[in-house]
Amino acid sequence: MAAVVDRLGPAVARDLRHSATSPHRRVVRLVVAACILLSLPVVLHKVHGHAIMPALDLVLDTTATVVLVTLTTLAWARFRERQVIAAAFHAGAFAALASAYGVAVVVSLVRAPGVGDRVALDSAQSFVFALARLAAASLFVLAGVLTRRSLASWKPPWILAAPPLVVLLTAAVGSVFDPPDVPILFTFPDQTGLPHTTPFGMALHVVTAVLFFVGVSVSRRLWHSEGALIDSWIAIGLVFAGFAELHAAIYPSAHPGQVSLGDMLDLMCSLCLLAGLSSAFRASQRGLRAANAELATLRDSEVERAAIEERSRLARELHDGLAQDLWLAKLRAGEVASTEGLSSEARRAAADALAAIDVGLTHARDAVAALRSLPSSESGFHDLLRRAVEEHAGRFGLRVEFTYDGDPSATIAPKTQVEVLRIVQEALANVTRHAEATVAGVSLVLGDGRIRLRVADNGRGFVVAAAGGAGYGLSSMRERAALVGGTLRVDSTPARGTLITLTAPFTRATARVAVDRS
């Protein structure tokens, strides 16, 4: 999407992003309002919203792990392919969270007697989650602060690897030593069995929540400047993550297998990130299709340019080479014909030679005109065809009627123009030489991407099956039609004339791929 928008120009791209800012701001405000409403019972009525549901907690942790690992891969690939600095920090944040959730899954599977059974209290695991969220929130903020700076002095692989390594090392130390001087995040001061946050835990969760909310602003700015959909979804997801930390500051989760309203908010965060992943994938697909279509357009333009250059070269060769040689031959044949003392047979042969040279010159002029006509000018082609028909009629004294019905936007390939012109010339030559016709008609229709040509006469006709396509130049016309992807049909009956029908596409180029730009 960003690539497509950027090709529209800086001013247009900026206007598009500004116009999309208001709906996104409304979505963020709606999410904030929903989180506040969900948090009011916790604050005003002391509704802790906790329940010991090990099986559900395992499902939530597993889902979050898979989503976050996928997001880590996507963000790192985005950094490697497009050198988006923010994506490197996003990858580190996702990797830190994925590591914490992965540790929770391992603890639930290893320490519980069975799937769905409750696991004993583990203060180290809660500290692992708190550390992972603090690291992730900090990385989301750094993604915006350092996005315009060079990573030359940084080691991007360490941005990805360091956060999860710290999280996993903390989990390993806590599981092996379980030292009593580990900072306590919660206590159990009463008989309710509910954990209460310590001052240290309260400060840690609040700082993390503030960083998540700062990350919302940072991600929105990244989306506004870069146009990547994943950043807009990250901004929405961080709203849920920030409120989840505020819930943890009031009623922390102490037991593995404990599910709370904060966990539901974390689930919403994961779903937003998953939606962002899906949107980013679809946007990448649309961008890829748009790029392919643009490449196809550029390829066709380059082929057309090369064809025009080659046609111009051939036209010059015909005009300066063959046509000049034919003119010289005509002059020499005229001198021979005017020589005194020639026999009648010699004069007749000289006259035949002059007539043949005139026909060759006419064909050369037609070829030069066809080669020099612009392929984008459909009207130029039908005018060229009309002149060829009228010239043939005037030269041989045959009455030929020409009709045309065309689409003004039609564009005919250069090769197709040349072959259609040759087919008409050959068909009219057959009428003159063999049909003994008094009138002929040429009809050209251009529309729906196809050429429809009809050449008819009122001559003596013939049996098509008996001709076998070998006589009357029929095989040559069929070969020309096949060269441009068309078909040629011949209908003739003795004493009732002949009808030749050609149907061909404007061009044999493959159709361009349609692009979804929504």
Side-chain angles (χ1 to χ4, degrees), residues 318-369:
L318 285 174
H319 182 271
D320 300 336
L322 177 61
Q324 299 301 323
D325 291 341
L326 287 175
W327 273 112
L328 180 61
K330 183 177 180 179
L331 290 175
R332 293 291 183 263
E335 292 175 357
V336 171
S338 62
T339 302
E340 295 182 359
L342 289 178
S343 64
S344 58
E345 291 80 4
R347 291 185 182 278
R348 188 166 48 252
D352 290 342
L354 284 171
I357 292 173
D358 283 335
V359 172
L361 282 170
T362 300
H363 287 173
R365 286 196 300 269
D366 291 341
V368 170

Side-chain angles (χ1 to χ4, degrees), residues 425-439:
Q425 290 174 334
E426 181 65 30
L428 292 178
N430 286 340
V431 173
T432 303
R433 290 194 297 262
H434 307 292
E436 299 179 0
T438 59
V439 64

Side-chain angles (χ1 to χ4, degrees), residues 306-320:
I308 292 174
E309 291 180 354
E310 182 64 15
R311 293 173 74 201
S312 299
R313 186 189 67 81
L314 291 175
R316 289 193 300 270
E317 292 291 336
L318 285 174
H319 182 271
D320 300 336

Side-chain angles (χ1 to χ4, degrees), residues 366 383-393 421 425 428:
D366 291 341
D383 283 342
L384 173 67
L385 194 60
R386 184 192 301 275
R387 289 196 301 269
V389 170
E390 292 174 350
E391 185 174 345
H392 182 92
L421 177 62
Q425 290 174 334
L428 292 178

Side-chain angles (χ1 to χ4, degrees), residues 67 230 233 269-282:
V67 171
I230 187 64
W233 283 100
C269 176
S270 298
L271 292 178
C272 285
L273 296 176
L274 183 61
L277 171 64
S278 176
S279 298
F281 176 77
R282 291 195 301 270

Side-chain angles (χ1 to χ4, degrees), residues 102-121:
V103 169
V105 171
V106 171
V107 169
S108 297
L109 293 176
V110 173
R111 296 189 180 181
V115 176
D117 293 334
R118 180 174 176 176
V119 182
L121 179 65

Side-chain angles (χ1 to χ4, degrees), residues 347-476:
R347 291 185 182 278
R348 188 166 48 252
D352 290 342
L354 284 171
I357 292 173
D358 283 335
V359 172
L361 282 170
T362 300
H363 287 173
R365 286 196 300 269
D366 291 341
V368 170
L371 288 169
R372 285 181 174 173
S373 64
L374 293 177
S376 60
S377 175
E378 163 269 324
S379 60
F381 171 65
H382 92 263
D383 283 342
L384 173 67
L385 194 60
R386 184 192 301 275
R387 289 196 301 269
V389 170
E390 292 174 350
E391 185 174 345
H392 182 92
R395 187 166 64 247
F396 294 101
L398 176 66
R399 178 187 169 191
V400 183
E401 298 179 353
F402 179 80
T403 61
Y404 163 73
D405 182 16
D407 178 6
S409 63
T411 301
I412 304 172
K415 182 177 180 60
T416 303
Q417 293 187 34
V418 174
E419 298 302 337
V420 172
L421 177 62
R422 292 303 188 200
I423 289 173
V424 171
Q425 290 174 334
E426 181 65 30
L428 292 178
N430 286 340
V431 173
T432 303
R433 290 194 297 262
H434 307 292
E436 299 179 0
T438 59
V439 64
V442 178
S443 172
L444 176 67
V445 178
L446 303 179
D448 300 327
R450 302 193 71 77
I451 298 172
R452 295 172 179 84
L453 176 73
R454 291 163 58 92
V455 181
D457 66 73
N458 65 346
R460 60 191 180 93
F462 62 97
V463 179
V464 178
Y472 303 98
L474 297 181
S475 59
S476 173

